[in-house]
Amino acid sequence: MIAKADGGGGLDIGGIRYMMIRPDALMGLFRLLEPAERVAAFEAIAASILEHGGKSAASYAGHGRYAADALIARIEATAPQIGWGNWQISPRDNGLDLTVVNSPFVAGYGPSDDPVCAPIRGMLAAVTRQIFGDDAVVAEIECAATSRSDVCRFTARISSADTNQT
């Protein structure tokens, strides 16, 4: 991955514009909201990352399970380079498991009673869709903000797996 200034005030990584922002500045927005508004805002950012992060995932590798290994390797290499922590993605038949060490969202938010890594949930949903060709149900099953550790764990299950479990 090569990051370069575009000469016009932008930062280009692989043909996609990025920007740098302090995690505490971004996550401070969520801290300033009332609890009900915070939940809605976390869901909104997860949905936005699903939509727009999906474009990044699509640019990294081909579609489908045949390209899964290349896509996973690229994301695991790229995540720490763009400040999203250290990712380890483990494929399953019906989805993905993700472990993130040093989440910037935890670093920016601090201790919390609830998980705070909604952007990672959105990106994992995008990656799961890219690999499996189906929407995913993503849960943050452990958040370093709530457990005071440095590890966050997520699970993504393709939506069609829900309909097959009757």
Side-chain angles (χ1 to χ4, degrees):
M1 179 182 77
I2 299 173
K4 62 181 178 176
D6 68 5
L11 175 65
D12 182 275
I13 301 175
I16 298 171
R17 183 173 180 172
Y18 285 81
M19 66 173 211
M20 292 176 48
I21 187 169
R22 290 174 50 135
D24 54 350
L26 173 64
M27 299 308 287
L29 167 127
F30 295 98
R31 275 206 169 278
L32 292 171
L33 296 172
E34 294 297 323
E37 295 169 326
R38 186 176 308 133
V39 169
F42 275 140
E43 292 309 311
I45 197 168
S48 181
I49 297 289
L50 167 60
E51 177 183 350
H52 301 289
K55 295 173 188 173
S56 294
S59 75
Y60 292 157
H63 295 275
R65 293 183 192 191
Y66 72 90
D69 290 342
L71 177 60
I72 288 169
R74 179 75 186 263
I75 290 169
E76 288 178 343
T78 302
Q81 293 176 6
I82 61 173
W84 279 55
N86 292 302
W87 288 36
Q88 182 179 2
I89 301 170
S90 302
R92 295 185 331 270
D93 286 342
N94 66 344
L96 302 170
D97 291 325
L98 169 64
T99 299
V100 176
V101 175
N102 196 21
S103 166
F105 308 105
V106 171
Y109 195 92
S112 175
D113 291 334
D114 300 302
V116 300
C117 298
I120 294 174
R121 280 193 296 113
M123 192 63 206
L124 183 58
V127 171
T128 304
R129 178 189 288 167
Q130 183 74 16
I131 292 172
F132 291 93
D134 198 355
D135 288 335
V137 176
V138 179
E140 185 171 5
I141 57 177
E142 180 181 347
C143 184
T146 64
S147 66
R148 314 303 190 254
S149 75
D150 65 349
V151 177
C152 298
R153 297 182 199 286
F154 304 81
T155 186
R157 184 181 64 250
I158 55 173
S159 296
S160 61
D162 288 341
T163 60
N164 295 332
Q165 296 181 7
T166 52

